[in-house]
Amino acid sequence: MEYKLHNPSDPYTFIAEDSETAALTVFALSTAYGAESRDGSDSVPVFVFGGAEEWYQRKFGRTVEEGLEEKMAEVAESLSSVMLGDFEDRRRYKAVLAAIADPEKREKFIDEWQDGCSSLTDIGAYAHALGRKLAGRIEAATENQ
């Protein structure tokens, strides 16, 4: 499902397979951010003054740490999907990515797309770095088994 990230700077969207993954994705970035699904059926509140952990436990029946441990791969993928722009920008972004077969050229396009942010806080680059870090933890854990 597509989500719009509520933040004080540039518009961003991301993909999450479910509500819990969306919440974990937002929390990984900042509890001062929130999100809303494209169809308006799901949202993650902004928790500037606290309460995120309590909300998460009420909604999902476990701690944020337990959720992240269970859904680390999904969160890594969701963080990697964070894109500068609104839903219409995402449609065009996906169309261009679909036309680029070379993995290196795809990565270059993704990085260059993010260069358009106007804020000093490059949420997209931060999200992608977190996604890579989580993916690396998953890979390391798999190798150690």
Side-chain angles (χ1 to χ4, degrees), residues 26-63:
V26 171
F27 288 3
L29 295 170
S30 173
T31 57
Y33 300 159
E36 184 174 352
S37 64
R38 183 178 188 142
D39 66 6
S41 66
D42 187 36
S43 65
V44 178
V46 174
F47 293 101
V48 175
F49 301 110
E53 181 73 37
E54 295 81 5
W55 173 84
Y56 185 91
Q57 285 182 347
R58 278 194 311 276
K59 183 158 179 143
F60 301 110
R62 58 183 170 182
T63 67

Side-chain angles (χ1 to χ4, degrees), residues 93-119:
Y93 176 85
K94 286 172 38 179
V96 172
L97 281 179
I100 303 172
D102 183 291
E104 288 180 20
K105 288 180 180 176
R106 285 174 63 91
E107 286 303 313
K108 185 173 191 282
F109 171 77
I110 290 168
D111 290 343
E112 287 180 4
W113 182 278
Q114 295 301 125
D115 282 345
C117 76
S118 64
S119 172

Side-chain angles (χ1 to χ4, degrees), residues 3 7 17 22 34 41 68-70 72 78 103 105 127 129:
Y3 287 83
N7 71 87
E17 73 172 29
S41 66
L68 184 57
E69 186 65 32
E70 178 72 27
M72 192 175 298
S78 183
K105 288 180 180 176

Side-chain angles (χ1 to χ4, degrees), residues 135-145:
R137 284 183 60 191
I138 295 165
E139 187 176 310
T142 304
E143 289 173 1
N144 291 331
Q145 291 180 353

Side-chain angles (χ1 to χ4, degrees), residues 2 6 27 50:
E2 289 179 288
H6 295 294
F27 288 3

